[in-house]
Amino acid sequence: MIERAEAGSPERRPIRIMVVDDHPMWRDAVARDLAEAGLEVVATAGDGAKALRVAPAARPTVAVVDLQLPDIGGVEVTRRLLACGEPPRVLVLSASGEQADVLEAVKAGATGYLVKSAQREELLEAVRRVHAGEAVYTPGLAGLVLGEYRRMAAEPEPAGEPAAPSLTPRETEVLRLVAKGLGYKQIAERLTLSHRTVQNHVQNTLNKLHLHNRVELARYAIDRGLDGDG
C-alpha cells in the first residue's frame, strides 16, 4: 500500500465524496451543498454497514462521516474505511465537540473533524483540504489534538523499537513545521517553496515512515520533540 501511495494517493485524484449520516435531511443537505459547489458526491449512506459495502465500488477520496450511526459507530467505520485497499481520507462531521469523541476519531485515523454548526464554506474548505491530506479541525480542537499527542509522547516508548528511517534535511524541516500545526500553504510560505513541493516532501516522508496521513505524521514528529523552537 505504501509503495503505491505516490501514484494512488487521494490528493492526486479528483475529489470524490461519500456522505455517511443517519439523518436523511441532513445527509441530503450536505450532499447537495457539496454538489452545488462542483464537487462529485459518489455515494451516500445512512448507516455504517452500507458505507462499508458501497465504498469499494464508489471509490471516494473523502468520506464525510457522522459519529452517531445506528449500527456501527463512526469511529469504527473510520477504522474500517482506512483498512480498504484504496482508502479515502475521513472527515468527521459530528454534533459532538466533546474531547473524548474528537480524540477517538483522530486516533482511528480521521484526517479532519468538524462540528455540525460549521458554516457551509467551512465544510467545503475542509473537504478540499482533507482531500489534499491536511489535518483540519473546528477552531479550538486543533490545540486539543496536539496537546493529546504531546501527552502521549511523554509516555515511555516500547523497548526494541526499530530505528527511524533517514530523512533529508528538507524533509526534516517540513516535518518540524507539520509538528507545529502549520498547513501546506503556511509551510510553503515559510520555506519559500511551492504548495506542490511541500506536498511531495510530506508524501515522501509518509512513505519512508510507513505512515498514512498528516495526523500520524504530526504525532510522529511530536513524539521526537520536533515541535519545539529548535
Side-chain angles (χ1 to χ4, degrees), residues 198-218:
V198 172
Q199 282 186 313
N200 289 340
H201 282 310
V202 170
Q203 187 61 55
N204 289 340
T205 303
L206 287 170
N207 292 347
K208 286 184 178 181
L209 300 177
H210 300 284
L211 301 175
H212 302 92
N213 54 53
R214 276 186 45 133
V215 177
E216 293 182 5
L217 190 62

Side-chain angles (χ1 to χ4, degrees), residues 115-176:
V115 295
K116 287 186 173 180
S117 58
Q119 299 297 310
R120 177 178 181 274
E121 289 306 317
E122 290 181 272
L123 172 61
L124 297 176
E125 181 185 10
V127 166
R128 293 185 178 105
R129 290 176 61 190
V130 164
H131 172 82
E134 293 193 49
V136 181
Y137 305 104
T138 290
L141 297 183
L144 167 68
V145 175
L146 290 175
E148 175 67 6
Y149 283 162
R150 291 189 177 100
R151 183 194 67 75
M152 294 170 66
E155 298 175 355
E157 292 188 358
E161 184 171 311
S166 176
L167 301 178
T168 68
R170 181 62 88 183
E171 288 167 349
T172 301
E173 197 171 15
V174 170
L175 182 57
R176 188 182 299 279

Side-chain angles (χ1 to χ4, degrees), residues 43-166:
T44 62
D47 57 62
K50 181 179 179 182
L52 296 170
R53 187 170 64 252
V54 304
R59 296 173 61 245
T61 60
V62 176
V64 179
V65 179
D66 186 18
L67 287 185
Q68 302 302 320
L69 299 173
D71 53 352
I72 307 168
V75 169
E76 182 60 25
V77 169
T78 296
R79 290 194 185 97
R80 296 192 193 182
L81 285 174
L82 294 179
C84 293
E86 197 172 8
R89 318 262 192 214
V90 174
L91 170 64
V92 169
L93 184 60
S94 173
S96 172
E98 294 295 319
Q99 173 174 335
D101 290 334
V102 177
L103 295 179
E104 282 302 307
V106 172
K107 288 175 184 176
T111 302
Y113 193 111
L114 286 186
V115 295
K116 287 186 173 180
S117 58
Q119 299 297 310
R120 177 178 181 274
E121 289 306 317
E122 290 181 272
L123 172 61
L124 297 176
E125 181 185 10
V127 166
R128 293 185 178 105
R129 290 176 61 190
V130 164
H131 172 82
E134 293 193 49
V136 181
Y137 305 104
T138 290
L141 297 183
L144 167 68
V145 175
L146 290 175
E148 175 67 6
Y149 283 162
R150 291 189 177 100
R151 183 194 67 75
M152 294 170 66
E155 298 175 355
E157 292 188 358
E161 184 171 311
S166 176

Side-chain angles (χ1 to χ4, degrees), residues 186-206:
Q186 293 169 302
I187 294 173
E189 291 173 351
R190 180 77 64 89
L191 300 180
T192 319
L193 299 172
S194 71
H195 187 277
R196 173 63 66 185
T197 297
V198 172
Q199 282 186 313
N200 289 340
H201 282 310
V202 170
Q203 187 61 55
N204 289 340
T205 303
L206 287 170

